[in-house]
Amino acid sequence: MDLRLSEEQQQFADSLRRWIEKDYTFEARLKIIRSDAGVSQPAYAALTELGALALAVPEEAGGMGGSSEDLMIVMKEIGRGLVVEPYFATILAAEFFKQAGAHKPILERVAAGDMKLACALNEKGAGHELFNIGLAARQDGAGYVLNGAKCSVVHGGQADGFVVSVRTGGGQRDRDGITLVHVPRAAQGLTVTDFRTFDGQRGADLAFADVRVPASAVVGQAGQGWDILEAVTDYGVALLCAEAVGAIEQANALTLDYLKTRKQFGVPIGTFQVLQHRMADMYIHQEQARSIAVLAAVKVQTAAPDERRKLVSAAKVRVGKALQFVGQQAIQMHGGMGMTNEMSISHYFKRLTAIEMTLGNTDFHRSRFISQPGFAAV
């Protein structure tokens, strides 16, 4: 398998990196996350202009029909630059519409940068089990009435609409009876509570009180939403792994620079053999994470479900180990000042920690991996 970037992919990655280095510096990012909005509309417009939104949308809806490998390139640069704009939330929600083969007008607005989306999938007490859904949708005529709550919705406060997982049948932890619906931000009865997360991004809690949606709001088929929900969130995990690799690479680069410049006993601390060995271990973790993240991105949209689950969970576990090791070692080698908000390395540590807890942590995906068919026979 040839894992090298094509000429077009490399040019796209270079364009994104140049924009981040010029217009999305660490100081610029600090101003954004400390603002009331917590995000930057000009930055989102720049991502749109660069084609990052259109890349996630099919050509028939005005996009460029990029593959998961193409999106991996974007996410890696976003991780390297610690971009806090609602890009991942929007393209993940768009993937629901894309896989369902419907809601073309929404995808057209996403590609044009006119509509931001978010995925409301988490509920209190459910842990990482996305099939554990208590939010009820009662059928009312041809539509549905929603009552319940969702929590920790990434960039929910900045979204113009949500893809919401609701229960229209079965028990709370059944995979049958799950329905996906599109709920506009302006829907009557919907309350959105926006907050800043510890990694400088934004999250929101959603409360639904007799929120009515028409039958046309259903994404896919009513009561049979689990297959799409699982496939799209696996796609999201693969992209998060790519973002983590970008952040790991930058954390390693920052740490290496620090070892070359920080002096003790009159010499750079990078001349100490014990720190050289530790730095070498960090690069080994980086390369192992990068390799499996690429494999997950290449396979996530083409592999059969059983193989996809194994690959994605294996990637999340391996990347999870890498991000924990690199993040903790980078902070330790920077000393106490590595924990301060003035040092960019602390922000990489916080973002890597957040990625570890998003769409299933290492323990969750390890359990998921060993539960797949054929594991015991290996």
Side-chain angles (χ1 to χ4, degrees):
M1 182 183 295
D2 186 357
L3 300 180
R4 291 173 296 182
L5 298 184
S6 67
E7 185 177 346
E8 291 78 11
Q9 288 173 327
Q10 189 61 59
Q11 288 175 350
F12 194 76
D14 292 343
S15 297
L16 276 171
R17 191 173 300 189
R18 282 195 296 271
W19 168 68
I20 290 171
E21 290 176 349
K22 179 177 179 291
D23 297 330
Y24 213 89
T25 62
F26 176 64
E27 291 73 22
R29 177 184 179 274
L30 278 182
K31 288 182 180 177
I32 292 171
I33 64 176
R34 290 170 178 169
S35 67
D36 291 339
V39 295
S40 166
Q41 184 55 37
Y44 196 80
L47 284 170
T48 305
E49 190 172 332
L50 285 165
L53 273 302
L55 198 62
V57 174
E59 292 181 7
E60 57 268 27
M64 293 192 285
S67 66
S68 51
E69 298 161 70
D70 298 327
L71 271 297
M72 176 193 71
I73 294 167
V74 180
M75 290 301 295
K76 191 176 171 185
E77 295 305 320
I78 280 178
R80 192 190 308 278
L82 288 180
V83 176
V84 298
E85 308 310 316
Y87 178 75
F88 173 71
T90 297
I91 65 168
L92 187 63
E95 185 68 15
F96 280 102
F97 299 122
K98 181 180 168 184
Q99 292 206 14
H103 303 270
K104 182 180 174 185
I106 293 177
L107 290 173
E108 290 173 342
R109 293 184 62 191
V110 168
D114 295 334
M115 187 175 197
K116 303 182 184 73
L117 299 170
C119 305
L121 310 175
N122 299 311
E123 296 191 8
K124 289 181 179 177
H128 297 294
E129 294 179 341
L130 296 181
F131 54 81
N132 191 340
I133 299 170
L135 195 155
R138 172 176 54 83
Q139 191 152 15
D140 182 45
Y144 294 89
V145 180
L146 279 59
N147 281 286
K150 293 289 183 180
C151 65
S152 304
V153 179
V154 176
H155 281 123
Q158 291 69 48
D160 301 303
F162 305 92
V163 173
V164 186
S165 58
V166 302
R167 185 156 294 287
T168 53
Q172 181 156 336
R173 298 182 75 248
D174 289 345
R175 286 167 172 78
D176 291 331
I178 294 173
T179 299
L180 303 166
V181 295
H182 169 240
V183 180
R185 168 67 178 268
Q188 190 171 5
L190 174 62
T191 303
V192 179
T193 304
D194 178 49
F195 54 84
R196 182 191 297 174
T197 57
F198 72 91
D199 59 337
Q201 304 235 359
R202 307 295 293 198
D205 291 334
L206 274 54
F208 299 80
D210 290 331
V211 174
R212 295 179 179 274
V213 294
S216 60
V218 173
V219 182
Q221 293 187 323
Q224 300 177 37
W226 173 247
D227 287 345
I228 290 181
L229 175 56
E230 188 184 39
V232 172
T233 49
D234 275 350
Y235 173 78
V237 170
L239 296 186
L240 280 176
C241 287
E243 182 187 355
V245 170
I248 287 171
E249 289 181 354
Q250 188 63 15
N252 277 342
L254 290 169
T255 305
L256 184 61
D257 284 345
Y258 185 76
L259 295 186
K260 289 178 178 176
T261 54
R262 176 77 166 92
K263 290 186 176 180
Q264 282 187 348
F265 311 114
V267 297
I269 61 175
T271 60
F272 302 153
Q273 193 174 48
V274 65
L275 296 186
Q276 292 175 357
H277 288 174
R278 197 176 299 182
M279 196 75 237
D281 288 340
M282 292 165 69
Y283 273 98
I284 291 171
H285 275 280
Q286 170 187 305
E287 290 308 299
Q288 290 177 337
R290 187 180 66 83
S291 297
I292 200 164
V294 170
L295 181 61
V298 169
K299 292 282 191 177
V300 70
Q301 289 184 310
T302 58
D306 284 350
E307 184 186 5
R308 185 198 71 219
R309 295 185 191 105
K310 286 182 182 177
L311 280 171
V312 166
S313 285
K316 194 67 159 63
V317 170
R318 189 64 199 84
V319 171
K321 287 183 177 180
L323 67 84
Q324 289 179 44
F325 184 85
V326 171
Q328 292 169 4
Q329 296 301 321
I331 290 291
Q332 188 171 17
M333 287 203 277
H334 275 80
M337 60 192 301
M339 293 296 292
T340 64
N341 277 330
E342 287 68 29
M343 296 284 288
S344 62
I345 192 65
S346 69
H347 296 259
Y348 282 95
F349 177 73
K350 285 185 278 192
R351 181 58 193 151
L352 287 170
T353 302
I355 291 174
E356 157 66 6
M357 295 187 294
T358 304
L359 295 180
N361 62 10
T362 297
D363 289 342
F364 174 84
H365 279 282
R366 184 185 293 109
S367 297
R368 184 186 188 228
F369 179 86
I370 64 177
S371 69
Q372 297 307 309
F375 173 77
V378 175

